[in-house]
C-alpha cells in the first residue's frame, strides 16, 4: 500500500533551503519515492493557514520504503541542513487499498 510524506513548510533561509531541496530530492529518488506535490500554495477553504507555508507530498511504494528513506544516511545530510533552512510539520500516512 502506498505511503505518503506530507510536509507543511516555511522557508527560513532560501539558500540553505535550496541545498536541502536538492539533497532531499536526490535521496527521495534513490529510495524509489516521487513528488506528487512540491512547494504548492494551497487553497484553504476551511481552517487557518499561515500564508508563508507551502505543501510538499512525496509518495513511496509502502511505509517500509518511506521509513528506509527517512532514516537513510543520504537523507541525514539533508536533515542536518533542514533545521536551519526551513520550519516544517511532517506527517507520514498510508494510502488506501483499492
Amino acid at each position: 500500500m502506498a505511503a505518503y510524506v506530507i510536509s507543511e513548510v516555511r522557508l527560513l533561509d532560501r539558500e540553505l533551503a535550496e541545498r536541502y531541496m536538492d539533497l532531499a530530492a536526490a535521496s527521495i529518488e534513490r529510495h524509489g519515492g516521487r513528488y506528487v506535490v512540491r512547494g504548492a500554495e494551497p487553497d484553504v477553504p476551511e481552517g487557518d493557514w499561515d500564508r508563508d507555508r507551502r505543501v510538499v507530498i512525496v509518495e513511496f511504494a509502502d511505509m517500509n520504503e518511506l521509513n528506509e528513506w527517512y532514516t537513510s544516511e543520504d537523507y541525514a545530510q539533508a536533515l542536518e541542513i533542514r533545521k536551519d533552512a526551513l520550519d516544517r510539520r511532517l506527517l507520514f500516512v498510508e494510502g488506501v487499498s483499492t
Side-chain angles (χ1 to χ4, degrees), residues 4-8 56 58 66 88-93:
Y4 299 89
V5 177
I6 302 171
S7 303
E8 297 175 10
V56 177
V58 177
L66 184 159
R88 77 170 174 197
R89 179 178 311 161
L90 191 64
L91 308 167
F92 295 169
V93 297

Side-chain angles (χ1 to χ4, degrees), residues 38-53:
R38 190 169 189 191
E41 183 176 351
D43 181 19
V44 184
E46 293 186 27
D48 297 327
W49 184 262
D50 177 351
R51 292 192 182 271
D52 291 337
R53 288 198 176 272

Side-chain angles (χ1 to χ4, degrees), residues 3 15 17 19 30 43 52-55 63 67 74-75 84 86 92:
E15 187 175 314
R19 178 73 178 133
R30 280 192 295 275
D43 181 19
D52 291 337
R53 288 198 176 272
R54 299 296 178 259
V55 176
M63 193 61 78
N67 283 308
D74 57 338
Y75 185 59
D84 295 320
L86 36 100
F92 295 169

Side-chain angles (χ1 to χ4, degrees), residues 5-60:
V5 177
I6 302 171
S7 303
E8 297 175 10
V9 180
R10 182 171 48 86
L11 299 184
L12 300 175
D13 179 309
R14 180 162 295 283
E15 187 175 314
L16 283 176
E18 288 177 10
R19 178 73 178 133
Y20 165 81
M21 289 184 278
D22 289 344
L23 289 169
S27 69
I28 287 166
E29 185 176 332
R30 280 192 295 275
H31 288 271
R34 72 177 188 94
Y35 285 95
V36 178
V37 175
R38 190 169 189 191
E41 183 176 351
D43 181 19
V44 184
E46 293 186 27
D48 297 327
W49 184 262
D50 177 351
R51 292 192 182 271
D52 291 337
R53 288 198 176 272
R54 299 296 178 259
V55 176
V56 177
I57 301 174
V58 177
E59 179 182 48
F60 286 90

